[in-house]
Amino acid sequence: MHVNIEESWIEQLKEEFDKPYFQRLTDFVRNEYATKTVYPPAKLIFNAFDSCPFDDVKVIIVGQDPYHEPGQAHGLCFSVNDGIKIPPSLVNIYKEIRDDLGKEIPISGNLERWAKQGVLLLNATLTVRAHIAGSHQNKGWEEFTDTVIRCLSEEREHLVFILWGAYAQRKGASIDTSRHLVLKSPHPSPLSAHRGFFGNKHFSTANKYLIAKGKKPIDW
């Protein structure tokens, strides 16, 4: 089936789009958008991929669910549109960047600038019903995004996978750690950030690794 996603990802994932689970997922998602309020806007479901072609990926940050309140989700994990209040987890991410790299905290929570530098901001589930966290889990998205992670692990070299929290770490179980750098810590949520997210220095560590592999570091 045809999926409206950036060309290099079509090439990598084309077999996935013809599998029965993906057809069931597509039917479910289309029905949800037709009958419910669903985020992100339909044209931005694959924004993480459209913003970061397969061969440009240098860093992968794994999230769980899109934000489920109006105006927040735009297809990039942890990111919100310009003008939207910065969510608590992203506030803590910005604090860690400040403490790690000495950068000032931005006024916008829009992370498109990261995506354009090669940071794939991948949620495990790419859609959600308004006001209901986790409402599109276990419908097929997780199988699709597991394939994305496995594909990157197998087809690329010297990537940085950033896995915050137990959910992301389970999702990264297939990553070949002999080919890639995997960084793990507690989640940046206010509930867990003080248990080891703060002070993890993932941003400087990722950049040192990229530089050592002859790649341009990320301007976090």
Side-chain angles (χ1 to χ4, degrees):
M1 64 183 294
H2 175 73
V3 176
N4 191 16
I5 190 173
E6 194 273 334
E7 202 66 36
S8 65
W9 286 104
I10 291 177
E11 185 61 30
Q12 292 297 326
L13 301 169
K14 57 190 174 189
E15 292 180 9
E16 217 62 21
F17 300 140
D18 291 324
K19 292 182 178 178
Y21 89 86
F22 198 86
Q23 182 63 63
R24 291 193 299 272
L25 170 65
T26 300
D27 291 344
F28 167 77
V29 170
R30 282 182 177 148
N31 182 65
E32 285 284 289
Y33 274 93
T35 60
K36 308 284 193 306
T37 300
V38 179
Y39 301 125
K43 66 181 181 181
L44 296 177
I45 292 173
F46 294 109
N47 192 22
F49 303 90
D50 296 338
S51 302
C52 190
F54 183 80
D55 290 330
D56 293 350
V57 175
K58 295 191 283 192
V59 178
I60 302 92
I61 298 178
V62 177
Q64 189 164 355
D65 242 21
Y67 296 119
H68 53 265
E69 296 301 328
Q72 292 182 308
H74 63 140
L76 308 177
C77 74
F78 293 105
S79 180
V80 291
N81 285 300
D82 290 321
I84 297 294
K85 183 181 179 183
I86 300 175
S89 289
L90 184 53
V91 169
N92 287 339
I93 290 168
Y94 280 167
K95 286 178 179 176
E96 176 57 24
I97 293 171
R98 178 195 63 196
D99 295 345
D100 186 13
L101 298 172
K103 298 177 72 73
E104 287 191 20
I105 291 178
I107 58 170
S108 172
N110 190 329
L111 302 181
E112 285 177 348
R113 59 192 178 82
W114 291 4
K116 288 179 168 56
Q117 297 177 75
V119 181
L120 182 67
L121 294 162
L122 180 67
N123 272 319
T125 304
L126 300 188
T127 54
V128 69
R129 197 183 292 180
H131 317 304
I132 308 174
S135 48
H136 285 190
Q137 290 178 5
N138 304 314
K139 302 296 184 183
W141 278 131
E142 293 91 343
E143 187 171 344
F144 175 71
T145 51
D146 281 347
T147 301
V148 171
I149 290 170
R150 188 169 62 250
C151 191
L152 286 163
S153 176
E154 292 174 357
E155 301 296 328
R156 298 286 312 280
E157 287 189 333
H158 309 318
L159 301 179
V160 181
F161 290 85
I162 296 180
L163 309 176
W164 294 323
Y167 182 90
Q169 288 162 26
R170 286 194 300 273
K171 196 155 182 73
S174 68
I175 298 164
D176 184 348
T177 55
S178 70
R179 293 161 64 100
H180 307 285
L181 177 65
V182 178
L183 301 176
K184 301 178 182 180
S185 84
H187 195 275
S189 157
L191 297 173
S192 56
H194 291 280
R195 297 205 295 264
F197 174 79
F198 289 130
N200 66 25
K201 298 194 179 299
H202 281 179
F203 303 98
S204 61
T205 304
N207 277 352
K208 286 172 186 171
Y209 180 83
L210 293 173
I211 291 167
K213 300 302 181 184
K215 300 182 182 184
K216 188 176 179 182
I218 306 299
D219 179 8
W220 300 105

